[in-house]
């Protein structure tokens, strides 16, 4: 079974790219063939995993707009089992170029369907907007993870995103499910963080992942080295959190085949 998971939230700064990179790397470390798709014109997933977007010749943009074979754009990363379908700044103009294309909402789906059998998981890092590229990602995905930061205004805009997901479910992708709401940037020392956790769990109950991503210096440092937190420091809280998230997703999808998944790591 192959699964495509989009990480989406129109709010910026919620840990979406950090979660995309490190979830993909965690799945790869657990020996699942994983593709990270950078669908954000800022190309932070591309640079955060060790590639200079300015040197990228073929990207998700060329695949969508020019029908380039995705095999000609996919890059091998330093992490075993992890590939990258990169982005660059040209993706900014893609939404305008796609307006008059037939089946414009299904362009990314066509690209990913052609390669999905080569991977166990495809993780899509969406842009912080609800534009046409994000709609393409939700149309291509089997499920969506919604990162929510444990800070003030955490739930602001979440209703709009959930409404967009409902529209996609009804019109474009009837199979789309919510994989879960992921609480990020949790600081155990702050009362506010605990209040947000309680509030989100009260509102959304079983939709919320058990795993919470804690604030962690190593997690913040890793992108500057162009590597995932697991490659940077496999024993830090950030790495442990994302490995536990990967295990939770694997269990949820009935893919437990690795004895290592039987136990949850704690830090």
């Amino acid at each position: 079974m192959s699964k495509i998971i989009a990480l989406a939230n129109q709010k910026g700064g919620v840990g979406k790219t950090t979660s995309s990179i490190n979830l993909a790397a965690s799945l790869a470390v657990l020996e699942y063939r994983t593709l990270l798709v950078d669908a954000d014109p800022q190309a932070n997933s591309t640079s955060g995993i060790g590639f200079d977007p300015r040197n990228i010749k073929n990207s998700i943009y060329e695949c969508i707009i020019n029908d380039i074979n995705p095999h000609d754009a996919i890059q091998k990363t330093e992490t075993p089992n992890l590939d990258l379908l990169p982005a660059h700044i040209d993706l900014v103009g893609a939404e305008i170029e796609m307006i008059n294309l037939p089946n414009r909402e299904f362009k990314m789906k066509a690209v990913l369907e052609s390669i999905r059998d080569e991977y166990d998981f495809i993780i899509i890092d969406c842009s912080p907007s609800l534009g046409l590229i994000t709609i393409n990602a939700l149309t291509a995905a089997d499920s969506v993870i919604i990162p929510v930061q444990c800070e003030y205004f955490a739930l602001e805009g979440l209703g709009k995103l959930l409404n967009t997901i409902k529209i996609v479910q009804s019109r474009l992708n009837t199979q789309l499910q919510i994989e879960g709401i992921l609480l990020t940037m949790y600081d155990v020392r702050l009362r506010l963080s605990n209040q947000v956790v309680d509030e989100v769990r009260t509102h959304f109950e079983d939709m919320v992942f058990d795993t919470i991503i804690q604030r962690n210096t190593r997690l913040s440092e890793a992108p500057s080295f162009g590597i995932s937190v697991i490659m940077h420091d496999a024993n830090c809280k950030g790495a442990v959190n994302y490995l536990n998230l990967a295990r939770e997703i694997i269990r949820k999808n009935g893919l437990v085949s690795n004895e290592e998944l039987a136990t949850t790591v704690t830090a």
Side-chain angles (χ1 to χ4, degrees), residues 144-164:
V144 55
I145 291 174
I146 305 169
V148 173
Q149 81 279 37
C150 295
E151 295 178 358
Y152 198 61
F153 294 138
L155 299 180
E156 187 183 66
L158 202 52
K160 187 175 181 181
L161 174 60
L162 292 171
N163 188 53
T164 299

Side-chain angles (χ1 to χ4, degrees), residues 7 62 85 104 129 138 140-141 150 154 168 192 233 247-249:
L7 279 85
E62 281 78 17
L85 183 50
R104 61 187 182 184
S129 74
L138 294 176
C150 295
V168 172
L192 176 61
D233 183 354
R247 289 184 173 95
E248 191 173 344
I249 289 169

Side-chain angles (χ1 to χ4, degrees), residues 168-180:
V168 172
Q169 286 171 325
S170 64
R171 301 180 187 175
L172 299 169
N173 184 0
T174 56
Q175 305 301 312
L176 181 65
Q177 298 179 331
I178 295 177
E179 190 76 26

